């Protein structure tokens, strides 16, 4: 194939679309599938049962599809599925799944994964997610669409982060984050809503007002956090607020970051 540099090592069995480009000194494993217009810069390792979607670009020294960093992993079937048009920068690591998490790590479309960040086993990452330099997303985490993870942040295993939430730099997140939440401080305080992100997305003023009122009710209403969410769901007509309610009432292995 003309798009493969002569110094690249392509193991037998790898499936590479004719339009894909593989740069110098890359290593492609035997179960890898590279879709149309995928581009690997130099010195990229893609291994394991890994599928890379159309138009994704992977930069130098990234290691994609290696076995999980999990002592419980015993060599079972492990896969990594990466969607379309992602930008995976230098030294990024993404691991396959484990038996305990369904065996698959999934990354959506149009993400930006900046230098040195890590996506661990069995994570589910949505569309248009940004993970900034040296941030770490642990095993079994769920990052919904449009989430931003700040640099050097750490997301604890099994944590869910709702759509449109933003996590500040150098923040440790150990509990679930509601959709459109704003989290900052070293131990991850839920400090408000991602209003900048909502405005950039063109969310109507009425919905933003409803979200602000909902946040205040979750912070200061009577009863437990779960009770407030149930009451909020019965009172609101905003689809955005209903999304937060559904997230809170959904299944989770963690508790929630709650408003202060």
């Amino acid at each position: 194939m003309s798009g493969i540099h002569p110094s690249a090592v392509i193991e037998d069995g790898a499936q590479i679309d004719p339009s894909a480009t593989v740069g110098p000194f890359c290593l492609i494993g035997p179960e890898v599938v590279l879709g149309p217009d995928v581009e690997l810069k130099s010195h990229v390792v893609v291994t394991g049962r890994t599928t890379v979607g159309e138009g994704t670009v992977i930069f130098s020294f990234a290691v994609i599809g290696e076995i999980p960093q999990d002592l419980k992993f015993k060599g079972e079937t492990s896969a990594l599925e990466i969607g379309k048009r992602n930008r995976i920068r230098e030294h990024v690591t993404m691991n396959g799944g484990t038996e305990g998490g369904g065996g698959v790590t999934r990354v959506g479309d149009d993400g930006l994964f900046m230098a040195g960040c890590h996506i661990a086993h069995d994570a589910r990452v949505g569309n248009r997610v940004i993970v900034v330099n040296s941030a770490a997303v642990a095993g079994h985490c769920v990052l919904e669409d449009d989430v931003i993870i700040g640099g050097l942040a750490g997301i604890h295993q099994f944590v869910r982060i709702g759509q449109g939430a933003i996590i500040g730099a150098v923040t440790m997140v150990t509990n679930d984050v509601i959709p459109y939440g704003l989290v900052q401080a070293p131990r991850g305080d839920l400090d408000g809503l991602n209003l900048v992100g909502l405005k950039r997305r063109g969310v109507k003023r009425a919905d933003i007002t409803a979200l602000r009122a909902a946040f205040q009710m979750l912070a200061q209403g009577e009863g437990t956090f779960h009770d407030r969410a149930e009451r909020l769901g019965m009172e609101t007509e905003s689809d955005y607020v209903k999304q937060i309610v559904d997230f809170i009432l959904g299944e989770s292995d963690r508790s929630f970051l709650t408003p202060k």
Side-chain angles (χ1 to χ4, degrees), residues 144 160-163 176-180 190 193 211 214-215 217-219 224-233 240-259:
E144 294 187 350
R160 297 181 302 147
I161 299 183
Q163 180 172 356
D176 290 356
V177 178
I178 61 171
Y180 313 110
L190 182 60
L193 297 171
L211 283 166
F215 188 86
M217 181 173 176
L218 289 171
T224 66
F225 187 67
H226 194 276
D227 292 339
R228 296 173 212 164
E230 286 186 327
R231 189 163 62 251
L232 186 59
Y240 287 89
V241 175
K242 290 177 182 177
Q243 186 178 356
I244 292 177
V245 171
D246 290 343
F247 185 88
I248 294 172
L249 300 182
E251 293 184 6
S252 178
D253 293 301
R254 310 292 299 176
S255 56
F256 285 88
L257 291 182
T258 55

Side-chain angles (χ1 to χ4, degrees), residues 89-93 113-118 132-136:
R89 295 305 304 253
E90 297 83 358
H91 297 280
V92 169
T93 54
F113 301 88
M114 297 189 190
C117 71
H118 175 63
V132 181
N133 302 67
S134 300

Side-chain angles (χ1 to χ4, degrees), residues 165-179:
I166 185 168
I167 310 300
V170 199
T171 298
M172 180 63 196
V173 181
T174 58
N175 294 309
D176 290 356
V177 178
I178 61 171

Side-chain angles (χ1 to χ4, degrees), residues 8-16 26-32 46-48:
V9 177
I10 313 295
E11 297 191 44
D12 291 342
Q15 300 178 44
I16 302 177
C26 291
L27 172 61
I28 311 299
E31 297 183 285
V32 170
V46 184
T47 188

